[in-house]
């Protein structure tokens, strides 16, 4: 359906995503129109396509799917346009005077003969020229954004593109849309390729192939954690992506990209390894910094054994020899790895090191990759711990994120301790270590048997495998008693042994279910009734962990079933549909990406800031259908508001994937151990899930599935050059021997 009219009033506009509510003067009636638009001004004529809908709160509305802007053509429309407040120095009186003077030629005069405006009282030549430029700029921006929308580019991205290229936007798009991938944040290969296809750019264009190479390398990092790909694998994936059968063309473009500094080729044992220039710089920088810290950090003149004895007396405990050895190494070397499973005393070592170092007047910084992990570290040590991003002071001044602390402005710390280091991808780890000052120390604490980072790289495993950094393996288990089986079963699983499933403990239970449908019903029963009654906890405090996202007992379906059971829809008008999910007040949700710019406030503490991170869990506290928006209060009290275009950053969290649970601990964990994918249903996946629980584990499934997971020690290979780079760098420094 199509309607047209002039804008009487812009009732509401979200500047972040362009969602706009308009009062449209259609001549014989006023119509409320809603949709996503470029900046609009009262008086502009619109030709709109869309459909009518009935909003429960605001009544009849026209929901716009396509829009065309027509310049004002009546005196009233021109007056509204000029008096809108958008044009600096032009109020209602001046706008009326200009329109009265030039009538239907007003806009033509403003654009092409602005000097004539100076004839109007109150309009100087300077003001006239400024008005002309503002009108032309608005016209150019509107037409460019609407031009981009024909290529299915969202308003947010269209605005970013226009800000980058201004009047040259169309020329850039039509010459080489793949430039957008490198030059505009948020534009990926698939978006650029869609534009190129509509423009008729050939499938075998060298521009297209070059962009495809970059995209495949990027996706290899995002989806599989690789920092490089073997050349043959890269060529094959590019051919498949681009529907090309021309390996010679791809290799030729690849050589061009090497010359242009876009990618790097390195010979390894498996042939040529191809890395993006960014990945290469990151890994080489990490290697150099590690070697530098190991060679330039002197042994501290401390009587470690005496200090450890003092710590033991102060806290009425006895450290195992493995813990004492780790502490000695942390004093003797610039970089150390402390690794062990749950209950092996990693936290005790951190506490002891903090006390020893601070008594010497040294400054110690504690950090972790996620907010939940940092909070847990603070609680267990009594010392303040921050996320890596907060420690490095992530700043968005200038529109692009950068860390305040870096190789130029170093952290004011003698020692940096990073916990849950297995979760650190190479980008985060690189940012951290380059901010450590010369002579500073790094202590890396984590569990090498946990799942690797979601992002690219395998930092903890690679540092260990390099053989250059001292590694302190903790095997003696402390955190257990006769009645607890969480820790003991976790270690049994890690050793390839079946956990004890006799249900005689107070904290580890097994519930048999032979089919996915039966398991799903058991999950609902457990969360809604059985566990709350037994453990005296709220259903929302029980965290369901699933190996997979799809399927009957996948994250998505379990979330829908638990939402209906725990927070059913009582009023369809009070929920916001986001994709296949409806968000309601009271829903448990999780933030799924790092959004460093998202603003938050904490009314309880009277604080505000920016940054909501992957894995943050909270509750929906309000839903606004008109804006539309969703407010979420997270566990630490922060409240963030999500607008259209940001809804894909949150999802229901009654159930989450085991991968998503890394770095977090929950009082009660329910594990749905079912799946057929050999590469997913692995030992370290089950081990990671069990170690997320503090007070209770309920393992749900059939014995055969649990046995398969325990036996399956498969770990997906991650391509990384960090081990080789560390060793090469050490050799160049004349260091042929590895650290003990």
């Amino acid at each position: 359906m199509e309607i047209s009219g002039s804008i009487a009033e812009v009732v509401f506009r979200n500047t972040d995503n362009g969602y706009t509510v308009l009062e449209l003067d259609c001549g014989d009636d006023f119509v409320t129109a809603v949709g996503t638009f470029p900046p609009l001004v009262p008086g502009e004529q619109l030709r709109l396509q869309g459909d009518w809908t009935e909003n429960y709160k605001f009544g009849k509305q026209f929901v716009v799917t396509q829009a065309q802007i027509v310049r004002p053509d009546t005196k009233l429309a021109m007056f509204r346009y000029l008096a809108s407040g958008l044009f600096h120095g032009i109020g209602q009186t001046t706008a009326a005077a200009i329109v009265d003077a030039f009538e239907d030629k007003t806009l033509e005069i403003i654009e092409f003969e602005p000097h004539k405006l100076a004839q109007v009282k109150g309009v100087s030549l300077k003001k006239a020229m400024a008005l002309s430029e503002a009108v032309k700029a608005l016209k150019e921006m509107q037409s460019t954004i609407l031009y981009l929308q024909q290529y299915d580019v969202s308003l947010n991205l269209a605005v970013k593109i226009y800000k980058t290229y201004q009047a040259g936007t169309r020329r850039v798009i039509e010459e080489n849309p793949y430039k957008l991938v490198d030059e505009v944040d948020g534009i990926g290969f698939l978006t650029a390729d869609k534009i190129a296809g509509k423009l008729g750019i050939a499938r075998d264009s060298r521009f297209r192939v070059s962009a495809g190479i970059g995209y495949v390398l990027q996706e290899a990092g995002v989806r599989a954690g690789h920092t490089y790909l073997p050349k043959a694998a890269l060529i094959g994936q590019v051919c498949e992506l681009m529907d090309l059968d021309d390996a010679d063309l791809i290799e030729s473009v690849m050589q061009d990209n090497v010359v242009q500094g876009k990618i790097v080729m390195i010979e390894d044992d498996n042939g040529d390894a191809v890395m993006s220039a960014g990945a290469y710089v990151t890994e080489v920088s990490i290697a150099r910094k590690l070697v530098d810290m190991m060679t330039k950090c002197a042994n501290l003149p401390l009587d470690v054994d005496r200090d450890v004895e003092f710590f033991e007396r102060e806290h009425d405990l006895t450290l195992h020899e493995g813990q004492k050895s780790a502490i000695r190494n942390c004093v003797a070397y610039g970089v150390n790895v402390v690794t062990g499973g749950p209950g092996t005393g990693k936290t005790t070592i951190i506490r002891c090191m903090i006390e020893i170092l601070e008594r010497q007047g040294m400054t110690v910084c504690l950090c972790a990759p996620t907010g939940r992990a940092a909070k847990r570290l603070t609680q267990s040590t009594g010392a303040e711990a921050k996320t890596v991003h907060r420690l490095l002071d992530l700043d968005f001044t200038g529109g692009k994120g950068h860390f305040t602390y870096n190789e130029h402005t170093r952290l004011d710390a003698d020692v940096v301790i990073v916990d849950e280091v297995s979760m650190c991808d190479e980008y985060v780890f690189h940012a951290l270590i380059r901010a450590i000052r010369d002579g500073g120390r790094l202590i890396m604490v984590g569990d090498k048997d946990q799942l690797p980072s979601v992002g690219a790289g395998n930092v903890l495993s690679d540092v260990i495998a390099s053989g250059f950094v001292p590694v302190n393996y903790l095997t003696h288990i402390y955190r257990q008693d006769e009645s607890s089986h969480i820790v003991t079963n976790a270690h049994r699983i890690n050793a390839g042994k079946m956990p004890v499933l006799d249900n005689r403990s107070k904290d580890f239970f097994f519930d048999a279910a032979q089919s996915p449908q039966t398991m799903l019903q058991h999950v609902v029963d457990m969360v809604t009734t059985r566990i709350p009654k037994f453990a005296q906890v709220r259903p929302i405090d029980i965290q369901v962990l699933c190996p997979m996202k799809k399927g009957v007992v996948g994250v998505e379906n379990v979330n829908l079933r638990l939402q209906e059971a725990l927070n059913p829809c009582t009023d369809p008008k009070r929920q916001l549909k986001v994709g296949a999910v409806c968000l309601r007040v009271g829903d448990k949700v999780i933030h799924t990406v790092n959004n460093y710019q998202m603003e938050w406030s904490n009314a309880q503490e009277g604080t505000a800031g920016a940054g909501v991170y992957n894995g943050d869990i909270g509750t929906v506290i309000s839903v606004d259908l008109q804006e539309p928006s969703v407010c979420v209060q997270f566990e630490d009290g922060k409240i963030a508001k999500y607008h259209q275009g940001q809804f894909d950053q949150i999802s229901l969290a009654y159930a989450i994937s085991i991968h998503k649970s890394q770095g977090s601990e929950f009082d009660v964990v329910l594990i749905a151990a079912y799946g057929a994918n050999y590469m997913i249903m692995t030992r370290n996946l089950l081990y990671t899930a069990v170690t997320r629980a503090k007070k209770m584990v309920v393992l749900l499934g059939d014995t055969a599935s649990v046995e398969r997971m325990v036996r399956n020690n498969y770990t997906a290979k991650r391509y990384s050059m960090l081990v080789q780079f560390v060793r090469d760098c050490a050799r160049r420094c004349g260091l042929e021997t590895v650290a003990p």
Side-chain angles (χ1 to χ4, degrees), residues 552-656:
V552 177
V553 285
V555 170
E556 294 176 358
N557 193 50
V558 172
N559 266 321
L560 292 176
R561 287 292 303 273
L562 287 176
Q563 184 191 40
E564 277 309 303
L566 299 174
N567 192 27
C569 178
T570 56
D571 184 354
K573 298 175 181 178
R574 299 288 181 177
Q575 62 181 11
L576 182 66
K577 188 169 177 60
V578 180
V581 176
C582 290
L583 293 180
R584 304 161 189 160
V585 173
D587 275 334
K588 183 179 180 180
V589 294
I590 185 170
H591 189 88
T592 57
V593 297
N594 288 328
N595 187 334
Y596 308 116
Q597 291 178 289
M598 175 165 276
E599 296 180 350
W600 56 262
S601 62
N602 190 325
Q604 295 176 346
E605 298 180 359
T607 57
V612 182
Y613 304 113
N614 186 6
D616 288 351
I617 292 176
T619 304
V620 176
I621 58 173
S622 69
V623 172
D624 189 326
L625 299 182
Q626 175 65 11
E627 201 170 344
S629 65
V630 174
C631 280
V632 176
Q633 182 168 13
F634 294 97
E635 294 173 332
D636 58 2
K638 295 189 300 188
I639 297 175
K641 191 174 188 178
Y642 295 77
H643 300 284
Q644 198 171 44
Q646 299 173 312
F647 295 146
D648 60 347
Q649 298 181 25
I650 50 172
S651 59
L652 293 174
Y654 300 101
I656 61 175

Side-chain angles (χ1 to χ4, degrees), residues 180-181 184 186-193 215 218:
L180 275 61
V181 178
V184 182
I187 300 290
F189 171 80
L190 297 180
T191 299
D193 202 44
Y215 176 75
Q218 181 186 43

